[in-house]
Amino acid sequence: MRIAIASDHAAFALKQSLVPWLVEQGHDVADLGTHGTDRVDYPDFGAAIGDALASGSAERGIALCGSGIGISIAANRNPACRCALVSEPLSAALARHHNDANAIALGARLIGEEMARACITAFLTADFEGGRHQHRVDKLGAPLPERLTP
């Protein structure tokens, strides 16, 4: 799978540990930065995840920052991105099953490397169930008036 991964400075160490692990799992990984521990702005890296998904250069995205909150908000500003903030594997799997999430966000200050790997594995191995969930997912990318209709 083609995976884009990005982090701010707070999650740089976690990203550095996840990239080789993802490659070992057989994935094609695009590291969108940051590439060091100097202070950077998470919105820039969330936008990079959204852009990679929108362009088709990545099938899935992994967004990392201190809490996961800011970078998930930034990634979701791109209508092509459905990024779910997760902290354990069940939420990561449900993000795929029910919401067709194409990215997850993780908080490096809140979860460890082992839990991050468990979340990523659950996310990457789960499939969207479609069915009753499809019309809701369709509304996520629809213009505002269409989203408000029952």
Side-chain angles (χ1 to χ4, degrees):
M1 191 174 297
R2 291 184 326 272
I3 300 170
I5 189 168
S7 73
D8 70 355
H9 57 281
F12 174 72
L14 179 60
K15 180 177 65 74
Q16 290 301 100
S17 70
L18 293 174
V19 169
W21 172 74
L22 287 163
V23 171
E24 288 171 12
Q25 303 298 307
H27 300 292
D28 178 15
V29 180
D31 183 346
L32 306 180
T34 190
H35 299 292
T37 57
D38 291 341
R39 191 168 301 275
V40 295
D41 298 328
Y42 63 81
D44 299 334
F45 298 95
I49 291 288
D51 291 347
L53 292 166
S55 73
S57 64
E59 299 168 84
R60 297 284 184 271
I62 300 170
L64 309 166
C65 71
S67 67
I69 297 168
I71 202 163
S72 67
I73 293 169
N76 281 322
R77 292 187 57 101
N78 188 315
C81 185
R82 292 178 304 282
C83 183
L85 173 60
V86 302
S87 59
E88 39 68 37
L90 179 58
S91 294
L94 289 173
R96 286 286 308 134
H97 291 316
H98 294 181
N99 309 112
D100 198 19
N102 54 7
I104 57 170
L106 302 165
R109 293 178 176 149
L110 306 176
I111 64 171
E113 184 179 337
E114 185 176 323
M115 182 58 73
R117 288 181 181 193
C119 290
I120 292 167
T121 298
F123 173 69
L124 295 177
T125 58
D127 293 318
F128 178 49
E129 293 176 356
R132 65 188 173 96
H133 305 290
Q134 185 62 59
H135 82 280
R136 297 172 187 140
V137 171
D138 291 343
K139 285 184 174 185
L140 293 173
L144 186 58
E146 293 177 35
R147 287 187 292 196
L148 297 178
T149 60

